[in-house]
Each structure stands twice: as C-alpha cells, then as structure tokens.
Amino acid sequence: QVQLVESGGGLVQAGGSLRLSCAASGGRFSINAMSWYRQAPGEQRELVAIITSGDSTNYADSVKGRFTISRDNAKNTVYLQMNSLKPEDTGVYYCNADSRVWSDYDLSWYAMVLWGKGTLVTVSS
C-alpha cells in the first residue's frame, strides 16, 4: 500500500531548529496538496502548514515567520523547516497528503487522504 513516512523529529532546546521530512512510496499514486499537522499531549490535532501542487503555501498564525513548508515532487517528499522553536511547538507532527491511488485489483483510481504515523518533536525550555 501507499504510505507516508515522517522523519527528522527529536529533542531540541528553545531557539533551535529542526527539519522534518515526509516521503510517499509504495505504489502508483498522484499527490495534490500536502500538509503538516501536529498534536500536543491532551490536545486536538491542528493544521500547521499546507502546500498545494502549485507550491502555494499557508501557515498557522502561531508558526508564521518561523516555519517553512516545501516539496520535491521528483522525490515525492514534503519538508517542514522549523526555526526559532518554542516549547509550545512540542508535539507529534503528522504528514498528510490529498492523493489518488491506483488499484491493480479493479484498475481504478481511488481518492484517498494519507496519513503518516508521526514523528515526535520536543522543545525544552
């Protein structure tokens, strides 16, 4: 099956930087918009950043000016560069993709929303 795999999380001090990566693989697929979400302990999952197939971007107000989302279509990968990290940025970061996946079973395209399993980012004060 097509899957998304995140990487790049870790433990950093406030003011530090991390770059997250998310790669799609596992079959024949076409990806439109890609997004990063995050979920702090005991809180709702929230949208952090989104990038369209045309490279238009939008960010949550809390990360504007600090985070940058980008993509490399040749590598089927989306990135999130996180600078000037704050303790409130702590959480599990999830990659999301709006996609169409090919089924060899019935020779059809299926619209699917794909999710990665997440990567943990911890920012110490």
Side-chain angles (χ1 to χ4, degrees):
Q1 302 91 334
V2 178
Q3 63 178 4
L4 304 178
V5 179
E6 303 99 334
S7 63
L11 173 64
V12 297
Q13 291 185 322
S17 298
L18 284 174
R19 189 176 80 150
L20 306 183
S21 299
C22 171
S25 63
R28 184 182 179 189
F29 56 89
S30 176
I31 295 177
N32 300 121
M34 300 189 77
S35 305
W36 285 97
Y37 287 74
R38 69 185 180 190
Q39 187 169 22
E43 298 185 10
Q44 290 277 324
R45 187 174 300 185
E46 64 175 345
L47 177 65
V48 176
I50 185 170
I51 184 167
T52 69
S53 59
D55 289 343
S56 177
T57 60
N58 271 303
Y59 300 89
D61 288 340
S62 60
V63 306
K64 285 182 179 178
R66 299 188 297 119
F67 290 10
T68 302
I69 188 171
S70 61
R71 66 193 293 170
D72 185 337
N73 292 329
K75 297 181 179 180
N76 297 312
T77 300
V78 63
Y79 305 94
L80 186 67
Q81 178 66 47
M82 305 185 294
N83 298 325
S84 302
L85 284 162
K86 304 175 181 179
E88 51 263 43
D89 295 318
T90 293
V92 178
Y93 283 69
Y94 298 92
C95 180
N96 170 278
D98 178 28
S99 69
R100 296 173 69 232
V101 178
W102 177 256
S103 172
D104 289 321
Y105 177 75
D106 59 2
L107 304 179
S108 301
W109 289 100
Y110 286 86
M112 294 186 65
V113 177
L114 305 175
W115 288 94
K117 293 184 177 180
T119 184
L120 178 63
V121 172
T122 303
V123 184
S124 62
S125 60

